[in-house]
Amino acid sequence: MTVHFADDSITLHHGDCLDVLRELPDASVDAVVTDPPYGLGFMGKEWDSLPPGEEWARECLRVLKPGGHLLAFGGSRTWHRLAVAIEVGGFEIRDSIAWLYGSGFPKSLDVSKAIDKRPGFLRHKEFAEEMYGRRLLLGLSLADVQREVVGSQTGAVWNWEHHQFPSAKWWPKLKATLHMDDKWDEVIAEAEREKVGERTTGRGAGKGSTPIVGDSENRDITAPSTDAARSWQGWGTALKPAFEPIVVARKPLAGTVAANVLAHGTGALNIDGCRIETTDDLNGGAYAEVGGRSESASLRAGSGMNVPGKTVGKDFTQPSGRWPANVVLDEHQAAELDEQSGTLTSGYMRPDVDRTTRQGDAYGTFSARTATETYGDTGGASRFFYVAKASSEERPRVDGVAHPTVKPLELMRWLVRLITPPGGVVLEPFAGSGTTVEAAVIEGFRCVAIEREAEYLPLIEARIARRRDPVRAVQLAGDDAGLFGLFEAGA
């Protein structure tokens, strides 16, 4: 086992997660919060393949204390395999959290343009085999070809070897780099399309997990040039990504929840520590009188989540926020939802409605009532969900290396806080850029992290350092220190 970094609360291992996990003691961690590979071959990265079977889940189960929770992100196309692996590994699937974000970019093929590019040719398999063979013969990696041909961090070369031809603009350089056959010139040639406009693409806003793919550039908007292409104008192959599921699982309890919590400190969720902040009066005291009638003590005390311990009729204590939901929004999705919902008001009924004769009064039902007929307080619908915010400053970059998929720090803080007892140990088997590690540091938890790829270890060190040793963090990040937000991180 190789310990790359260690201090009084963080241990960062460099190695394959299975090898490292097998050496960790039984029942030695309190929670697992992880962002494993999605198995999409993202941007041609070899690490983005699903871990073998359910072995990693079994090892996580072993090192977790009884009742310990596991939270694992999954891809929208492959998370069913992740959930099955976790369940087969011995966990109980307790729930799933939907993380909704607004900054995802659709990775869709323009079918009309594809027809114009390759009219009449269906020979990609042959092309891919030649490209792959020549690359191996020359001893070049995907990254080598990517740097030589494209010059930026994308998955283009992997795509060319798997399911699509390169664009005509990349072909001359690709052909020269790999010494490809001239016979592909005609296949790669594109039909002449009329330019009808221009759009700007490039560096993302740094929100959610949207990768930064290079500097901005102008791209032509073109019109179909053949009848076949015109008939398929407006067709694509993928939807815009807007959510990632998080599997919520728990190691079987040792007895009851109460007994497990007392014995091991695990088995429950930190509801109060993860409530959704609000300035609203959840008591509803402002509406204690409706239609000239005083509300009953139970209504003044609130209902459902607003009654700690179901103390109906007793003095009501204002909750610290809303009960955490299994939907999490970023600010883009929150704004979108609020635009659709408008301003809702809850906490009282319309004065002209007789509560004694109305059916279906429970909040949250899908009855046809107006905004002024609901319980609670005022605001958009997003106020019922946690809003995770991310910025480009949360993307560490050291010596020009950045991780392509970075989760928002506030989201990861919320997740580790949800399932980790005070002073507990968080395990992250797939550390990546180290967001989970930094979240654990901020929240006061200990953390055991594992990362296989050596190029990402300095990113994790920089995250730790900006919370512990800003001078060291600046030294690690060098010219990229400003991009990483080292001076705004509160270190």
Side-chain angles (χ1 to χ4, degrees):
M1 186 189 308
T2 302
V3 176
H4 178 78
F5 170 89
D7 63 14
D8 57 345
S9 62
I10 304 295
T11 303
L12 172 60
H13 296 278
H14 177 209
D16 184 274
C17 76
L18 285 176
D19 294 336
V20 177
L21 284 171
R22 289 177 183 130
E23 296 189 29
L24 297 181
D26 293 354
S28 58
V29 303
D30 299 277
V32 178
V33 180
T34 187
D35 186 16
Y38 291 178
L40 302 174
F42 181 74
M43 295 175 68
K45 298 293 185 180
E46 294 179 2
W47 51 256
D48 190 27
S49 57
L50 289 174
E54 62 282 342
E55 292 179 52
W56 73 274
R58 284 202 181 102
E59 287 301 318
C60 286
L61 185 85
R62 181 184 61 79
V63 301
L64 263 176
K65 295 176 182 177
H69 281 85
L70 175 146
L71 301 178
F73 285 82
S76 56
R77 293 197 336 235
T78 56
W79 81 292
H80 60 290
R81 296 165 63 188
L82 173 70
V84 168
I86 291 172
E87 189 171 45
V88 172
F91 283 90
E92 302 169 350
I93 303 298
R94 300 288 298 173
D95 205 338
S96 59
I97 298 172
W99 172 43
L100 310 183
Y101 50 86
S103 60
F105 188 80
K107 301 169 181 64
S108 174
L109 175 71
D110 185 325
V111 176
S112 172
K113 188 177 289 187
I115 291 172
D116 269 346
K117 285 181 177 180
R118 247 66 66 185
F121 287 94
L122 299 173
R123 299 166 54 192
H124 182 266
K125 182 178 179 182
E126 181 185 347
F127 173 86
E129 289 174 349
E130 180 178 326
M131 180 179 167
Y132 176 73
R134 289 188 180 270
R135 181 171 65 79
L136 291 188
L137 186 64
L138 293 169
L140 299 175
S141 67
L142 287 170
D144 293 333
V145 179
Q146 186 71 39
R147 282 191 294 268
E148 183 65 27
V149 177
V150 181
S152 62
Q153 190 180 29
T154 73
V157 176
W158 185 90
N159 289 335
W160 300 339
E161 282 192 7
H162 286 78
H163 56 73
Q164 70 184 50
F165 287 100
S167 300
K169 68 175 181 178
W170 302 123
W171 172 237
K173 213 164 189 179
L174 178 64
K175 179 182 177 182
T177 300
L178 297 182
H179 311 303
M180 298 282 287
D181 198 289
D182 291 341
K183 69 181 179 181
W184 299 112
D185 290 351
E186 185 181 355
V187 178
I188 302 300
E190 300 179 12
E192 191 66 32
R193 291 167 65 96
E194 179 187 1
K195 180 179 175 179
V196 296
E198 199 173 75
R199 64 188 176 92
T200 301
T201 63
R203 191 177 297 273
K207 311 293 184 186
S209 63
T210 306
I212 295 176
V213 296
D215 295 329
S216 62
E217 61 176 319
N218 293 327
R219 294 189 180 179
D220 294 340
I221 300 174
T222 59
S225 62
T226 62
D227 289 340
R230 274 188 285 273
S231 67
W232 288 99
Q233 177 76 352
W235 289 73
T237 57
L239 300 173
K240 176 185 179 296
F243 95 101
E244 289 180 31
I246 305 170
V247 177
V248 181
R250 187 175 68 184
K251 182 173 181 175
L253 299 165
T256 64
V257 171
N260 198 101
V261 167
L262 292 174
H264 304 285
T266 51
L269 302 177
N270 184 6
I271 299 299
D272 276 358
C274 293
R275 286 181 180 269
I276 296 85
E277 292 183 3
T278 178
T279 57
D280 296 326
D281 178 9
L282 300 181
N283 187 0
Y287 310 110
E289 187 167 293
V290 175
R293 303 190 310 274
S294 295
E295 295 283 11
S296 66
S298 62
L299 288 173
R300 288 199 305 274
S303 60
M305 64 164 276
N306 295 339
V307 186
K310 300 295 182 183
T311 55
V312 176
K314 298 182 181 180
D315 291 340
F316 175 73
T317 302
Q318 172 79 353
S320 57
R322 299 183 184 282
W323 196 280
N326 61 0
V327 173
V328 183
L329 310 178
D330 77 353
E331 69 272 26
H332 299 292
Q333 287 289 44
E336 188 77 21
L337 179 59
D338 289 346
E339 183 178 349
Q340 295 181 36
S341 71
T343 300
L344 299 176
T345 303
S346 51
Y348 59 94
M349 298 294 293
R350 267 179 26 203
D352 59 338
V353 173
D354 185 352
R355 187 188 299 269
T356 61
T357 61
R358 185 172 177 85
Q359 299 298 314
D361 282 337
Y363 179 77
T365 59
F366 291 94
S367 56
R369 57 166 66 107
T370 66
T372 58
E373 293 180 78
T374 53
Y375 288 101
D377 43 44
T378 61
S382 71
R383 71 194 194 280
F384 294 100
F385 308 105
Y386 176 79
V387 180
K389 297 182 179 180
S391 71
S392 58
E393 293 174 353
E394 292 180 10
R395 297 178 175 276
R397 182 181 292 269
V398 176
D399 294 331
V401 175
H403 199 282
T405 57
V406 179
K407 295 298 185 294
L409 181 60
E410 285 302 312
L411 172 63
M412 302 312 297
R413 290 180 61 180
W414 187 78
L415 292 175
V416 298
R417 194 165 64 244
L418 180 67
I419 66 170
T420 313
V425 178
V426 179
L427 169 65
E428 167 56 286
F430 306 95
S433 71
T435 316
T436 304
V437 180
E438 185 175 7
V441 171
I442 297 171
E443 295 298 326
F445 301 125
R446 289 171 289 160
C447 184
V448 176
I450 306 168
E451 177 51 43
R452 189 185 70 181
E453 308 302 320
E455 63 179 328
Y456 298 140
L457 296 174
L459 306 182
I460 304 171
E461 285 189 85
R463 282 189 178 274
I464 298 170
R466 78 167 176 173
R467 299 297 168 183
R468 301 277 181 80
D469 185 354
V471 174
R472 171 63 174 156
V474 172
Q475 292 172 345
L476 284 167
D479 293 338
D480 297 315
L483 292 176
F484 189 19
L486 292 173
F487 305 106
E488 294 79 33

